[in-house]
Amino acid sequence: MTEAATRRTPGAPCWVSLIVHDLAATQDFYSRLFGWEFRPGPEQLGPYVRALLDGKEVAGIGQLPPDRHLPIAWTTYLATEDADATAEAIRSCGGTVAVGPIDAGEAGRLLLASDPGGAVFGAWQAAEHLGTALAGTPGTPVWNELVTRETASVAKFYQGVFGFETEAVVSADFDYQTLHLRGRPVAALHGVGHGLPRDRGPHWMSYFQVADTDEAAARVVELGGHVLQSPREASSGRLATVADPEGAVFTLVRPPRS
C-alpha cells in the first residue's frame, strides 16, 4: 500500500469523480462494492461527497440538479498548476472548455473540458485538496485510459496541453500509446476504431483495483449494476468492464500477481 497524497506532476491523473441523479443510492452501491465511506463537501457545485478508504480520500461523487440530463460517467482529472493557463492551452489545441475554471472553495480550482474527439476530462489545480490520497489497495483508482477512435491526432492534443511524452505500441492491429511524465507512465490512449460503443463516443475510462475481479464483477450485478465485458486476462491483470446502476462505466482490475 502506498500513500499518494502528494502534489502531482502537472498532467498526471490526480482525481476521479462522478455526478449522478441519486446520490444516496450511488453511495450505497460503491460502499458495498469497494468499502467506501463518505464525507460531505465541498458543495460549490451542489451536493457532493468524497469517498474515503481508511480515512483517506479516493474519489468524489456529486448530484446532478434535477433539471440537468448529462451522461453519467466517471471523469478523470489531470493535475495542473494553473487552471486558467490550461484552459487557454485546451482551446488553442482544439479542445473545448465546458465548465470553469471555477473555485471549489478552499480545495482548489477546476475546469471540465473535452478533447477534439469529444472525450470529457477535468483539470484540477490543487490548493488544500491534493487529490487521491491512497493507492495500491483494493477500492482505489489505479489507472486512467482514454478510449478513442485513433490515437495519433488526439495524442498531439494531450502533448500540447500537458507536455506528455508518448510511447506507442508498435503493432499493425493495436493502436495504443502510453503517456509518460518525467519518464514514468501515468495514463494511456487506446484507439479502438469502430469498436467504440455507439452510445458512448470517445471517453476516459477509470480503472479501480480489486482483490478478485470475478467476485467484484458478480457483486456489481448483485448490487444492481451490469457487466459489459466479462472478466478476462490482460497484460495489466485480470479485467472486467462494468456499469453502476445509473450507467457509469468503469473497469475492475486485479493487478498481475508479482
Side-chain angles (χ1 to χ4, degrees):
M1 190 187 300
T2 56
E3 302 291 319
T6 53
R7 192 166 290 277
R8 301 305 199 287
T9 305
C14 61
W15 188 242
V16 291
S17 80
L18 176 64
I19 309 295
V20 296
H21 296 290
D22 189 332
L23 185 56
T26 300
Q27 287 181 78
D28 185 60
F29 172 86
Y30 286 101
S31 70
R32 293 183 184 207
L33 180 63
F34 291 141
W36 289 352
E37 297 174 335
F38 295 94
R39 174 190 297 156
E43 298 200 349
Q44 275 71 23
L45 305 176
Y48 189 85
V49 295
R50 292 184 191 168
L52 308 175
L53 263 181
D54 299 327
K56 299 187 188 310
E57 296 173 347
V58 293
I61 304 175
Q63 184 164 305
L64 273 173
D67 57 337
R68 296 293 293 276
H69 296 282
L70 299 173
I72 306 298
W74 280 99
T75 300
T76 297
Y77 281 79
L78 306 175
T80 177
E81 290 182 335
D82 185 335
D84 296 85
T86 297
E88 286 304 313
I90 288 167
R91 293 187 189 100
S92 67
C93 291
T96 304
V97 177
V99 176
I102 53 173
D103 289 319
E106 305 297 312
R109 194 160 165 75
L110 68 90
L111 62 82
L112 283 171
S114 55
D115 67 26
V120 173
F121 66 95
W124 178 255
Q125 178 185 330
E128 287 184 359
H129 175 62
L130 298 178
T132 307
L134 189 65
T137 190
T140 60
V142 69
W143 188 244
N144 294 270
E145 186 171 292
L146 173 68
V147 182
T148 189
R149 286 188 179 82
E150 55 83 30
T151 65
S153 57
V154 81
K156 292 189 178 72
F157 168 81
Y158 287 100
Q159 286 171 308
V161 177
F162 294 106
F164 294 119
E165 297 130 27
T166 61
E167 181 185 356
V169 172
V170 181
S171 166
D173 57 356
F174 192 53
D175 180 10
Y176 194 90
Q177 297 198 46
T178 308
L179 302 177
H180 292 256
L181 289 169
R182 299 178 183 171
R184 194 172 64 87
V186 295
L189 312 176
H190 187 189
V192 297
H194 296 300
L196 204 61
R198 279 205 190 94
D199 57 335
R200 306 176 69 220
H203 56 276
W204 277 89
M205 175 73 77
S206 298
Y207 286 64
F208 292 93
Q209 186 168 328
V210 292
D212 183 320
T213 304
D214 298 70
E215 197 176 87
R219 186 83 172 129
V220 166
V221 175
E222 280 172 26
L223 295 170
H226 306 277
V227 174
L228 305 179
Q229 285 185 285
S230 298
R232 61 205 184 274
E233 292 295 333
S235 58
S236 53
R238 189 159 177 80
L239 310 175
T241 305
V242 299
D244 71 17
E246 288 206 23
V249 177
F250 56 101
T251 295
L252 305 168
V253 56
R254 189 210 70 217
R257 294 195 167 99
S258 50

